[in-house]
Amino acid sequence: MLTSSEQLEKRFTLYKFHSIPDKAHFLNSNKASIRAVVGNASAGADAQLIHQLPNLEIVSSFSVGLDKIDLAKCKERGIRVTNTPDVLTDDVADLAIGLMLAVLRRLCQSDRYVRSGQWKKGDFKLTTKFTGKSVGIIGLGRIGLAIAKRAEAFRCPISYHARTEKSDVNYKYYPSVVELAANCQILVVACALTEETRHIINREVINALGPKGVLINIGRGPHVDEPELVSALVQGRLGGAGLDVFQDEPNVPEELFGLENVVLLPHVGSGTMETRKEMADLVIGNLEAHFLNRPLLTPVL
Amino acid sequence: MAESTDCHKAQQDCPKVLILKPIPFINLVGEQYFASNKFTFLEAYDSSLPLHQFLSTHSPSIKAILSSVGAPPITADILHLLPEVGLVVTTSVGLNQVDLLECRRRGIKVANAGSIFSDDVADFAVGLLIDVLRKVSASDGYVRKGLWATKGDYPLGSKLGGKRIGIVGLGNIGFAVAKRLEAFRCSISYNSRKRKPHVSYPFYESVCELAANCDVLVICCELTDQTHHMINKEVLSALGKEGVIVNIGRGAIIHEKEMVQCLVQGEIAGAGLDVFENEPDVPLELFAMDNVVLSPHVAVFTPESFLDLRDLVVGNLEAFFSNKPLLSKFGDW
């Protein structure tokens, strides 16, 4: 089976921008011929890049998040934008629950306990029951709803905060994130990253969640005021955290490495063979559709 | 005995409840939470006398036994030395450490942990499965060693949604696991001693057939003579190279040597194991594998489960000594 890069190379002339050492020189020489950009969660098409590519027609993102794309600029220039919704919803939701279980039941720590030979010296300690814990979800889109559905199977009462209350769900709505945090034991960030949601998890929210509360972030690193989060965890003002995303990936605050009440993952929310293939198929399918003048598969713009 | 009598104050001695080996659960909860005015514990392990002698000396007052996982089994031999025993209470759901036939013959009642552990054990099984498939513990370790920044992305995992789950033993725990995994879009089938009449999941007559038709096996059954080493090379080969096994039952249900070999040779894709044949010993070959998640028999280790178990153990003992029905009686005698 061909990798995404190989598939792209078969159909198009592919430039791997991230591995080009002198990007300015490259752009100068090639800007006129570049008609498409393939982005992902780390890099997309900001205003500067868009400005440097006069013949850019389409940005196809290998992600559902659009925070790395200057949508306003794309709209202004008539540039099409596509992403990869739905195909990764299950994997991200599965991982959110996996993080909850790993943090509350100390799965990673237990595994280390056995591997380091400590079990021979004595039993591990008690952890925290997951079934029945109240789960608060920020953002009740595709991913938020999928998380709710899974948590319900563990009899977790669900509450949420979103831009607007949803009339077709039975979950309790809170008009502010602080109120949501004060009324749940596990808080999950599942919304898109926009100007409004940057640092949506701040000191006030963290304090409201409290020393027995757990934060799960499967959104974007900038959703969280990271230094605040780190100090809260180190000081015990927050009970624990399961984090798949960080402010400055792949760099993770080292103060977290020694904590037993956190689980740290290298942005693997959609990281399965099955889902990455489906995402790649969507990226390529969208590009082909565009260049064949057919309707785009998953257009945003 | 009148139920309001505090046996500690009465002239006769309190009925004794025998404990053969320290019970970690009691220490973790705190001995004071097991105090009762109807009985007192008698710890055989505190004595310098050999066990048989100790039991013979105290047998007139030993009316019940509190048995736990890892302690010496309650055999017919031990029961013969204790003619006054009327009840065996265990801290586990499984009863493989109790000679049930002898208990039945003697009319000794048995009480186990009922269904109080189902939630915690099912949660743990799901947690182990997601961890194995999505490499949670492995990639957490990768990040903590600073390797994400230096070596790049971690290898991809495998999607849970759509996987065919085979539950081995559809009791309370197996059923709780099934209900949870259905929410992840998994399909469920099972093998049990008997087909369950009110269950719509497909039933397979043999564990091998079940393994051949699913991607994940979750071991939720009891350890008995029939299930000992039931999961062997044949079953694991049927499960296949993409298959994953999760064990929250008892280590000896799996032929551990053969499972380790299958993992070493890539005959199965991974394993999540909370139990082992000879705890706390764990086969060293597993330590080098990142497709295996190991835990030190902690599926029930939450304060909630332990307090529920405390209530059940004390409740069963007090009920027995008050001539009331047991809370979690096992068996029909």
Side-chain angles (χ1 to χ4, degrees), chain A residues 80-187:
Chain A
R80 307 302 307 272
V81 175
T82 69
N83 62 350
T84 61
D86 295 316
V87 296
L88 47 64
T89 301
D90 284 343
D91 270 352
V92 177
D94 291 353
L95 196 74
I97 304 291
L99 278 169
M100 292 179 204
L101 284 163
V103 173
L104 266 72
R105 299 302 305 272
R106 298 289 194 265
L107 286 175
C108 310
Q109 206 194 355
S110 301
D111 178 81
R112 284 194 291 273
Y113 191 81
V114 175
R115 283 171 200 265
S116 63
Q118 289 176 77
W119 193 13
K120 299 215 196 224
K121 302 194 191 128
D123 281 325
F124 195 62
K125 60 189 177 198
L126 298 184
T127 56
T128 304
K129 184 170 181 148
F130 174 57
T131 286
K133 288 285 185 298
S134 52
V135 173
I137 305 177
I138 302 173
L140 210 62
R142 287 170 289 243
I143 293 174
L145 275 171
I147 293 172
K149 177 168 165 275
R150 283 151 179 74
E152 282 187 299
F154 296 80
R155 302 202 302 278
C156 297
I158 309 291
S159 49
Y160 72 104
H161 169 74
R163 272 169 302 196
T164 52
E165 188 168 359
K166 315 249 166 186
S167 54
D168 53 351
V169 299
N170 256 332
Y171 310 135
K172 181 154 173 62
Y173 174 76
Y174 285 98
S176 79
V177 179
V178 173
E179 271 182 271
L180 180 67
N183 287 283
C184 69
Q185 292 157 304
I186 302 172
L187 183 64

Side-chain angles (χ1 to χ4, degrees), chain B residues 135-184:
Chain B
K135 306 183 189 297
V136 174
S137 288
S139 55
D140 170 84
Y142 185 76
V143 171
R144 279 173 205 262
K145 291 191 189 99
L147 296 173
W148 189 17
T150 54
K151 282 180 78 179
D153 283 335
Y154 200 73
L156 296 176
S158 176
K159 183 172 174 145
L160 172 59
K163 289 273 189 296
R164 300 166 299 166
I165 311 289
I167 311 272
V168 180
L170 202 67
N172 288 319
I173 292 172
F175 201 68
V177 172
K179 281 269 146 272
R180 282 154 174 75
L181 287 175
E182 281 188 298
F184 294 80

Side-chain angles (χ1 to χ4, degrees), chain A residues 115 120 127 155 257 262 268, chain B residues 119 134 144 281 292 301 303:
Chain A
R115 283 171 200 265
K120 299 215 196 224
T127 56
R155 302 202 302 278
F257 290 179
V262 304
V268 290
Chain B
D119 287 338
R134 301 298 300 273
R144 279 173 205 262
D281 292 331
V292 168
F301 270 42

Side-chain angles (χ1 to χ4, degrees), chain A residues 205-219:
Chain A
V205 170
I206 291 169
N207 285 341
L209 192 48
K212 292 211 156 75
V214 171
L215 176 73
I216 304 291
N217 192 1
I218 45 83

